[in-house]
Amino acid sequence: MSRLRTTLSAFSRLNKMQRSLKDKQTLLNVPVQKLIHDEPTRWNSTFEMVDRFCQQQQAVCAVLAENRKKWHLMPKDSDVANIETVREVLDPISDLTDALSGEKVPTLSSVLPLKWKLFSCLEKRDGERVIAGAMKDQIRSDLASRYEDTQLNIVLNTATYLDPRFKDTFVAMEEEVKEHLFQKRHEASVQPVEQVQTGEQQRQEEGQGGTKRRKTDLKSLLCKIHFKRLHIKTVKWKIPSSVRCNDEKQLSDRNVPDSQQVNALGQRQLDS
């Protein structure tokens, strides 16, 4: 993989090699696509890098063969075989990763079914290469270490159990899940009583020690501002037009400032 990254870095740095790659892609009737680099923060980036190189292998090798100074970047036959093996191992994992990384549908209840499918894909097969078996062992052990937390397993099993598509098919902690659900139901039934008791205690404390200043909520504050704004507009439109015109004419003759005009109009409305 390190040799592959070195080769791809050379293509990304030199514009001349990029132009040569595009010409070779057109000549060999290969899709004109850029090479991809893997990134630690992107899911499936390693698979995308390997898969794109396998698609563009002929064009890449053709560009490197024309430049004698770049022959050291030419991948060997063993390197190509290893890259193809990596692609075969990561191919089914990439599909499961794409399914879990969706944002439009909830995916918590799908973790255990996809985990089961993933571990079945990571089972060793007869006749596969040693590097493929080593990769599967490494991925399997890494995933197993991420699901050792008991509380996490209860949450995942509960979400899968409540999903009507799966129910108890993939649930390995059915008794713990039922106990967890009964406990949550009991807490939900007791919570309103506790809230009433807490409210009564708070009123008693406020009566004894004085009222406590509550923090201003942004939503309630905006509602108050909006209501006040509507109230001001309503009061303004309640002033008769004839009275408002006469008062404005009289005040303008006296050269009264605008702020004083508004106050005078309001006071006249109240007097009338």
Side-chain angles (χ1 to χ4, degrees), residues 10 24 77 82 96 119 128 140 161 205 229 233 257:
K24 294 299 181 181
D77 294 340
N82 292 334
L96 303 179
F119 275 92
E128 65 180 4
R140 192 186 302 109
Y161 184 78
E205 293 178 357
R229 177 66 175 170
K233 289 184 177 181

Side-chain angles (χ1 to χ4, degrees), residues 82 85 124 127-137:
N82 292 334
T85 302
K124 292 184 177 181
E128 65 180 4
R129 301 187 61 191
V130 178
I131 185 175
M135 285 186 61
K136 291 181 179 180
D137 292 338

Side-chain angles (χ1 to χ4, degrees), residues 84-93 117-145:
E84 291 178 350
T85 302
V86 172
R87 183 178 65 168
E88 293 176 0
V89 175
L90 297 181
D91 189 12
I93 300 177
K117 178 62 176 177
L118 180 59
F119 275 92
S120 64
C121 293
L122 294 175
E123 293 180 355
K124 292 184 177 181
R125 301 176 182 176
D126 297 336
E128 65 180 4
R129 301 187 61 191
V130 178
I131 185 175
M135 285 186 61
K136 291 181 179 180
D137 292 338
Q138 184 65 28
I139 297 173
R140 192 186 302 109
S141 61
D142 182 72
L143 287 175
S145 63

Side-chain angles (χ1 to χ4, degrees), residues 21 23 33 52 66 82 84 122 126 142 157 160 187 210:
L21 177 63
D23 296 338
Q33 297 173 339
R52 180 61 57 82
E66 290 182 349
N82 292 334
E84 291 178 350
L122 294 175
D126 297 336
D142 182 72
N157 280 267
T160 306
E187 292 177 356

Side-chain angles (χ1 to χ4, degrees), residues 20-138:
S20 299
L21 177 63
K22 187 175 181 180
D23 296 338
K24 294 299 181 181
Q25 290 171 344
T26 305
L27 181 63
L28 297 173
N29 197 17
V30 178
V32 180
Q33 297 173 339
K34 293 183 179 180
L35 301 177
I36 301 176
H37 293 265
D38 60 340
E39 298 179 6
T41 57
R42 284 183 55 200
W43 290 11
N44 290 339
S45 61
T46 302
F47 169 75
E48 293 175 357
M49 177 185 68
V50 172
D51 185 56
R52 180 61 57 82
F53 173 78
C54 292
Q55 296 175 3
Q56 303 293 334
Q57 176 187 350
Q58 294 181 353
V60 171
C61 294
V63 173
L64 296 176
E66 290 182 349
N67 192 348
R68 187 180 182 86
K69 296 181 179 179
K70 303 297 180 182
W71 283 4
H72 65 283
L73 298 175
M74 182 77 69
K76 301 178 181 179
D77 294 340
S78 58
D79 296 334
V80 174
N82 292 334
I83 291 172
E84 291 178 350
T85 302
V86 172
R87 183 178 65 168
E88 293 176 0
V89 175
L90 297 181
D91 189 12
I93 300 177
S94 65
D95 297 335
L96 303 179
T97 306
D98 291 337
L100 279 179
S101 60
E103 298 179 354
K104 295 183 179 180
V105 293
T107 57
L108 183 60
S109 61
S110 304
V111 172
L112 290 183
L114 292 179
K115 176 187 172 185
W116 174 84
K117 178 62 176 177
L118 180 59
F119 275 92
S120 64
C121 293
L122 294 175
E123 293 180 355
K124 292 184 177 181
R125 301 176 182 176
D126 297 336
E128 65 180 4
R129 301 187 61 191
V130 178
I131 185 175
M135 285 186 61
K136 291 181 179 180
D137 292 338
Q138 184 65 28

